Amino acid sequence: VRVIDNMVPHPHLPAPTPSDTPLLTPTPSTTPPVPKSPYINDSLVSRFLLAGVSSMTGSTATNPIDVIKTRLQLQGERGDVDARYRGFIRGGICIVQEEGIGGLYKGLTPSLLREATYSTLRMGGYDIIKAMMGAADPGSASLATKIIAGATSGALGAAIANPTDLVKVRMQAQGIPGKVDFNYPSMWAAFRSIYQTGGIKGLYLGTVLTTQRAAILTATQLASYDHIKHTIIGTGLMGGESVLVHFLASMSAGFLVSVTTTPVDVVKTRIMNQPIAPDGTPTLYKGSMDCIAQTLRNEGVRGLYKGFIPFWMRIGPHTVVTFLVFEQLRRMAGIKPV
């Protein structure tokens, strides 16, 4: 019988020792494994898309409040004594009685188009600008960085999307007795009419004021939401990211926005809704400062805060819905929270 050497040890050779046999198992590493982050999506397209979708959801839910707010802000303009909209509740009832339920949804189409442009840019660009300023970790950015990032993204978005805001305001104001009624049958008819009357310049009526308003609003809204949320999380009392934390932070941000933005919003609404001469020249106000002066002279300081309650009732729920949807969509898409 032939014996194969590599199967049977040679009788005159010593048996192999353990040190002669190769080690088949790797040496265990002393470095602990790095946990895999659940946030795997860093796509800019996703960030902007989700910002637009969440803002459009919030705008749809709060459009009736926005219509009432606009009507209240125009009431009493230039000494007008007509006060048919006596408060938020009565104002809503009056609109429904005179114009039906559809009156509360006037301007919804341009409002959605506005959110798809303005809010997509401001909310989608906030993180990017914040990162450009050195805030790679959302929770580590200073309040000043958040304010500057919010103001910058809001101003850029508003400057580009001003025509949609102009059309929204005018269509929401249609139907007020004694006020100029542009009588636009549709959003596209409004764009066409404004362009035929005033050209590109007409579409950007009130851009400076709209940009200033957006800078103030976004700096307040996004910065306060961001800061309040991470402050709550930092206390450890409510754990980490949660729907309740998002709700508390967004409701607080909505109130702060109302305080800082209502006067600018009143002036913006009045300038955009004033009658336009055949040559495209505004007929009531020479500019934002003239509008402020006339409002203070005729209505006092309270005139600049007309519509504060409906503004808060609109921006509060709008902020809550927008951020709740935005945070959940980001989580589902694998994007870091705000």
Side-chain angles (χ1 to χ4, degrees):
V1 178
R2 184 179 179 184
V3 179
I4 301 175
D5 289 342
N6 61 357
M7 293 182 65
V8 180
H10 196 281
H12 301 294
L13 293 176
T17 62
S19 60
D20 296 328
T21 59
L23 294 176
L24 300 179
T25 57
T27 304
S29 174
T30 58
T31 305
V34 179
K36 186 178 180 180
S37 172
Y39 308 115
I40 57 175
N41 189 349
D42 199 33
S43 167
L44 292 180
V45 174
S46 297
R47 290 173 184 268
F48 283 104
L49 178 63
L50 298 186
V53 171
S54 59
S55 297
M56 292 171 72
T57 303
S59 185
T60 301
T62 58
N63 194 82
I65 304 174
D66 200 25
V67 171
I68 299 172
K69 178 212 72 171
T70 299
R71 301 290 181 89
L72 286 171
Q73 288 177 339
L74 291 171
Q75 186 171 263
E77 185 179 21
R78 292 172 63 88
D80 181 12
V81 296
D82 184 15
R84 65 192 314 102
Y85 306 119
R86 297 181 181 275
F88 175 73
I89 300 297
R90 291 184 180 180
I93 294 173
C94 182
I95 292 172
V96 172
Q97 289 176 339
E98 295 180 351
E99 305 167 49
I101 294 294
L104 294 174
Y105 284 91
K106 283 186 174 181
L108 178 59
T109 304
S111 178
L112 292 177
L113 181 59
R114 173 180 177 269
E115 297 294 344
T117 49
Y118 160 64
S119 288
T120 295
L121 292 171
R122 74 183 182 96
M123 293 185 66
Y126 175 70
D127 283 341
I128 298 172
I129 296 173
K130 200 166 61 168
M132 290 172 62
M133 297 178 67
D137 178 20
S140 65
S142 67
L143 180 58
T145 297
K146 296 169 185 175
I147 292 174
I148 294 172
T152 304
S153 63
L156 289 173
I160 294 172
N162 188 81
T164 60
D165 201 16
L166 177 64
V167 171
K168 176 185 80 80
V169 168
R170 289 188 176 181
M171 292 189 72
Q172 287 180 340
Q174 288 184 163
I176 304 178
K179 296 289 183 181
V180 57
D181 193 339
F182 294 97
N183 198 27
Y184 301 131
S186 68
M187 179 182 71
W188 300 116
F191 280 123
R192 185 167 53 251
S193 175
I194 294 171
Y195 179 76
Q196 289 174 347
T197 302
I200 296 296
K201 183 179 178 181
L203 289 170
Y204 281 89
L205 175 67
T207 300
V208 173
L209 194 59
T210 302
T211 303
Q212 292 171 346
R213 172 191 179 273
I216 295 171
L217 186 149
T218 309
T220 305
Q221 185 186 51
L222 286 175
S224 61
Y225 172 82
D226 191 352
H227 201 72
I228 292 170
K229 186 187 81 167
H230 285 102
T231 299
I232 293 173
I233 293 174
T235 63
L237 298 176
M238 303 185 70
E241 300 279 346
S242 69
V243 172
L244 179 57
V245 170
H246 299 159
F247 174 81
L248 294 174
S250 56
M251 201 63 198
S252 301
F255 175 76
L256 292 174
V257 168
S258 302
V259 173
T260 59
T261 312
T262 297
V264 188
D265 196 56
V266 169
V267 175
K268 183 207 72 163
T269 298
R270 293 185 171 187
I271 284 181
M272 285 186 164
N273 197 63
Q274 64 182 315
I276 304 297
D279 62 354
T281 305
T283 59
L284 297 183
Y285 307 111
K286 300 175 183 178
S288 58
M289 296 308 297
D290 181 45
C291 181
I292 292 172
Q294 290 194 45
T295 300
L296 289 174
R297 183 166 57 250
N298 295 320
E299 305 163 64
V301 176
R302 292 181 61 183
L304 292 175
Y305 275 91
K306 278 195 169 179
F308 174 81
I309 295 300
F311 185 86
W312 182 27
M313 293 183 68
R314 187 255 176 185
I315 200 67
H318 184 280
T319 303
V320 170
V321 172
T322 297
F323 279 112
L324 286 179
V325 173
F326 193 36
E327 295 278 24
Q328 293 305 307
L329 289 177
R330 287 171 73 109
R331 180 184 61 80
M332 293 167 61
I335 302 175
K336 288 181 179 181
V338 174

